[in-house]
Amino acid sequence: SRTVLWMDGREKTRKTDGIRFVAVSFRPRKGLPVAAPAGDGTNVTGFLPERLSAENVRMYSWESWETPVYHTYLKKSYFIVKEAFAAMPETV
C-alpha cells in the first residue's frame, strides 16, 4: 500500500511514492566513539551518490497492494508451552 510510519500530529502513517537511500561514511577519531573532522565543515568522509542532491538519489518504489497475503499457524513451541502450563499446579 506504500504506507510508511510517519508521526505528524495525530497521523501515524502516510502514503509515499517510494524511499531513497544514501550511504555515508566517516573516519572515527582515534580512541573515541566520535568522528574526526573531515576538513569541510562536516565529519563525513564519503557518501554515495557522489553529488548529494535529491535528483541524484534514485527512488525505490514497489507495487502497491491493499491486502497482504498471509496465513496463521501454531508454532511447535506452542505445544511445549501448553504442556508446561498444564503441568503447573493451580495454587501455590
Side-chain angles (χ1 to χ4, degrees):
S1 66
R2 283 199 210 123
T3 301
V4 295
L5 297 176
W6 189 267
M7 301 292 288
D8 186 17
R10 300 179 99 179
E11 299 296 318
K12 306 278 189 256
T13 62
R14 78 178 202 182
K15 297 278 186 182
T16 182
D17 293 332
I19 55 177
R20 299 176 194 272
F21 293 93
V22 176
V24 178
S25 67
F26 71 96
R27 181 178 21 148
R29 190 173 286 184
K30 189 173 185 174
L32 297 173
V34 295
D40 63 354
T42 73
N43 58 9
V44 174
T45 58
F47 49 85
L48 293 174
E50 190 174 322
R51 255 189 79 235
L52 191 56
S53 63
E55 54 272 357
N56 287 339
V57 181
R58 295 192 324 188
M59 181 179 293
Y60 171 74
S61 188
W62 56 94
E63 191 173 323
S64 184
W65 48 266
E66 294 302 321
T67 305
V69 177
Y70 69 94
H71 63 279
T72 60
Y73 64 95
L74 297 175
K75 293 183 177 183
K76 291 178 185 178
S77 60
Y78 167 82
F79 300 101
I80 296 169
V81 172
K82 181 180 176 182
E83 285 181 27
F85 284 153
M88 294 174 84
E90 297 216 13
T91 59
V92 178

